[in-house]
Amino acid sequence: MSADFDLIVIGGGSGGIAAARRAASYGARVLLLEASRIGGTCVLRGCVPKKLMMYAASFSRAMAEASGYGWTAVSGHFQLEGWAEAKKRELKRLEQIYQKMLADSDVEVLIGHARIAGARSVAVADRKLSAERILIATGSSTDRGALPGLAHAWSSDDVLDLRRLPSSLLVIGGGYIAVEFASILADLGVRVTIAFRADLPLRGFDDDLRNSVAEGLKARGVNVVAQSQMQSLGRTPGGFVLYRANGEPLHAEAVLNATGRKPCVESLGLATADVRLDEKGAIVVDNRSRTTASGIWAIGDVTNRANLTPVAIAEGRAFADTEFGGRPTEVDHRIVASAIFCDPPAACVGLTEAQASSIGPVDIYEAHFRPMRTAFIGSQERTYMKMVVDGHTGRVLGVHMFGTDAPEIIQALAVSVTAGITKKDFDRTMALHPTSAEEFVLMRDPTRKHRRP
Ligand code: NDP
């Protein structure tokens, strides 16, 4: 007996939608199952609303700087309620666009909690549906297990849904979410403290970029508390207190738990389906996103590879190309650009200085300067740029930037780095003046060389 569908996708986020539409474009009969709303974390609870909040916050800096450029009487008060209503409308608009794109692609959509119910079978409420292939794209959600008491703290979802800003906020963690929200809320006028256990925020990023981000947060008025040995989070009459083994307790009206996310695998029935999980609870997959169970694939955050929207989309499309398009495709996870949308932002692509110099000889080129726009008004803000170059071949292995427009500049450079550009190619590129980006083609001499790994 033939199955009801060629493919059932569980999860209507960026990765699941991309996979479903690509598979349908090859003529597959596709059903997409989503527990709540179409759009997933990126569109509804992550990248998109976060960036809209960042744009709202950016006006505080613009207003503060305007007088230095001759503007008078530029001031204002931020009303979260107005932004929240506009954001709600915008997310609804985007959700409808995704619904229409799925309908136009002939992907059937069903809202309900899905559970694997046997080989090639999925249960939704009291319905059982069969498919030749099942793709799990359920994403991740806030992990509340890092410290006792975190269950009472806000997640990033909660901050994005606020209707009133707290007077003070304690951000726990030093990753993407922690840094971005610390910066945004500080720009919106909240007294922000960020506490993390490492020396610097953003573990895994280049150390000079991490240092620049920490200094940038301090310059925006954020109280940066590094090397915090956190013990537990408690309640006080006025809010919260974070107890630490190596310092005074930290108090705030509200707390954002930004200690990481965990794969959404609960109640999917994976144990009965022989789908293996790793020690962090992520679904184990091979380089073609195949799980340990025949007929079941997984993509995106639920597999905990590179937990970024474009990666989930690429994995979803590669799955569909391989299984339905007759074009076996694997995603290259080695060169993935990423950005931290703090103010100023940071972005990078490729290897850090530490990673590259542990492999072989490396030349480091740097630029460190006060950008024209803020130097004009007497600001001490600095832009930082680094290029990591293979000491043998001259190939550019990594590019890192902290400063205005870093995400836009790094996205453009990521094309060249992916294509294997060399430092000589940068040298023969004409500068576009006056920009900050031109500094990347004007780096003449290495600031240091690593020769012994
Ligand atoms: P991250 O994994 O980036 O950061 C988690 C932070 O929590 C780290 O600073 C970590 O510290 C800290 N932490 C974890 N466990 C503990 C503990 N037990 N005690 C104290 N501190 C702890 O997670 P995020 O939540 O910031 O982001 C989740 C994912 O979302 C990321 O993987 C990212 O890919 C994605 N994202 C991407 C964005 C972008 O591209 N701009 C924006 C937002 C999210 P330590 O470093 O010491 O381990």
Side-chain angles (χ1 to χ4, degrees):
M1 205 176 78
S2 82
D4 300 327
F5 295 93
D6 297 315
L7 171 67
I8 290 181
V9 178
I10 305 177
S14 304
I17 292 171
R21 295 183 64 218
R22 181 63 63 91
S25 77
Y26 294 122
R29 295 165 304 142
V30 183
L31 173 69
L32 185 141
L33 297 171
E34 164 58 46
S36 59
R37 291 171 63 187
I38 295 295
T41 298
C42 172
V43 177
L44 301 170
R45 297 174 292 277
C47 320
V48 172
K50 178 273 308 287
K51 198 152 183 200
L52 293 174
M53 198 178 229
M54 183 207 82
Y55 284 135
S58 69
F59 288 97
S60 95
R61 172 201 272 263
M63 283 188 291
E65 292 173 353
S67 66
Y69 274 90
W71 290 84
T72 56
V74 183
S75 66
H77 179 71
F78 177 64
Q79 283 191 312
L80 183 59
E81 190 72 28
W83 174 84
E85 278 304 318
K87 184 252 320 183
K88 199 169 139 189
R89 283 194 299 277
E90 178 63 0
L91 298 193
K92 187 79 210 153
R93 188 181 73 83
L94 295 176
E95 187 183 2
Q96 285 165 349
I97 288 174
Y98 278 101
Q99 285 165 341
K100 183 168 181 324
M101 284 192 318
L102 286 165
D104 290 349
S105 308
D106 289 327
V107 173
E108 203 174 308
V109 175
L110 186 62
I111 302 295
H113 184 85
R115 193 172 44 79
I116 310 260
R120 296 179 167 72
S121 171
V122 176
V124 188
D126 53 3
R127 285 179 71 182
K128 249 191 182 180
L129 301 152
S130 61
E132 295 297 337
R133 293 173 179 78
I134 296 168
L135 176 70
I136 302 171
T138 46
S140 61
S141 63
T142 302
D143 188 350
R144 296 181 184 273
L147 286 180
L150 275 187
H152 304 294
W154 285 337
S155 68
S156 51
D157 301 8
D158 299 317
V159 175
L160 290 166
D161 277 341
L162 286 180
R163 292 283 166 158
R164 183 190 75 80
L165 289 174
S167 59
S168 59
L169 176 73
L170 170 63
V171 179
I172 302 181
Y176 285 88
I177 292 179
V179 168
E180 290 181 342
F181 281 94
S183 174
I184 291 169
L185 274 290
D187 275 354
L188 289 176
V190 177
R191 261 183 300 115
V192 178
T193 295
I194 180 171
F196 47 86
R197 57 189 176 184
D199 295 346
L200 290 167
L202 299 172
R203 185 166 53 84
F205 284 82
D206 188 273
D207 284 344
D208 288 305
L209 205 67
R210 298 171 73 192
N211 202 33
S212 299
V213 167
E215 292 306 313
L217 286 173
K218 288 178 199 166
R220 305 303 298 154
V222 175
N223 177 23
V224 178
V225 187
Q227 297 175 328
S228 271
Q229 291 172 25
M230 297 173 245
Q231 291 177 314
S232 66
L233 183 68
R235 302 299 298 260
T236 63
F240 290 87
V241 54
L242 176 68
Y243 296 104
R244 302 182 301 145
N246 61 338
E248 293 292 306
L250 298 172
H251 294 264
E253 182 188 330
V255 173
L256 167 61
N257 166 24
T259 55
R261 294 173 66 85
K262 61 176 193 317
C264 290
V265 290
E266 273 166 32
S267 59
L268 275 178
L270 297 185
T272 53
D274 265 350
V275 174
R276 205 168 81 224
L277 305 180
D278 68 14
E279 68 286 352
K280 291 192 170 150
I283 296 178
V284 175
V285 288
D286 67 8
N287 49 10
R288 295 242 175 108
S289 296
R290 289 177 286 224
T291 71
T292 47
S294 158
I296 303 180
W297 286 254
I299 55 154
D301 283 16
V302 78
T303 63
N304 195 25
R305 286 177 277 182
N307 298 332
L308 298 165
T309 300
V311 176
I313 291 172
E315 289 167 355
R317 289 182 179 155
F319 155 78
D321 290 343
T322 304
E323 296 301 320
F324 298 99
R327 288 194 294 135
T329 309
E330 289 172 14
V331 175
D332 185 350
H333 291 90
R334 287 170 305 174
I335 303 183
V336 178
S338 73
I340 303 101
F341 292 94
C342 44
D343 176 22
C348 62
V349 59
L351 299 183
T352 65
E353 180 174 348
Q355 286 167 337
S357 60
S358 71
I359 300 168
V362 171
D363 297 341
I364 302 298
Y365 295 80
E366 291 172 298
H368 209 215
F369 57 93
R370 290 168 69 205
M372 182 193 239
R373 180 167 175 270
T374 46
F376 180 74
I377 56 170
S379 163
Q380 294 308 307
E381 182 177 311
R382 296 183 82 80
T383 290
Y384 176 73
M385 294 169 167
K386 175 187 281 188
M387 194 182 293
V388 180
V389 178
D390 186 314
H392 279 320
T393 64
R395 183 172 171 167
V396 176
L397 303 174
V399 183
H400 309 264
M401 176 174 175
F402 169 79
T404 303
D405 296 331
E408 305 291 338
I409 293 166
I410 292 293
Q411 170 63 93
L413 290 181
V415 178
S416 315
V417 174
T418 305
I421 197 169
T422 63
K423 177 67 173 66
K424 278 199 177 124
D425 295 318
F426 273 86
D427 294 342
R428 63 193 178 88
T429 301
M430 194 66 77
L432 199 165
H433 187 70
T435 61
S436 288
E438 69 181 307
E439 296 301 328
F440 273 121
V441 300
L442 296 173
M443 293 169 162
R444 285 288 161 252
D445 300 311
T447 44
R448 56 193 168 277
K449 295 180 176 211
H450 299 277
R451 284 297 174 261
R452 298 180 73 81

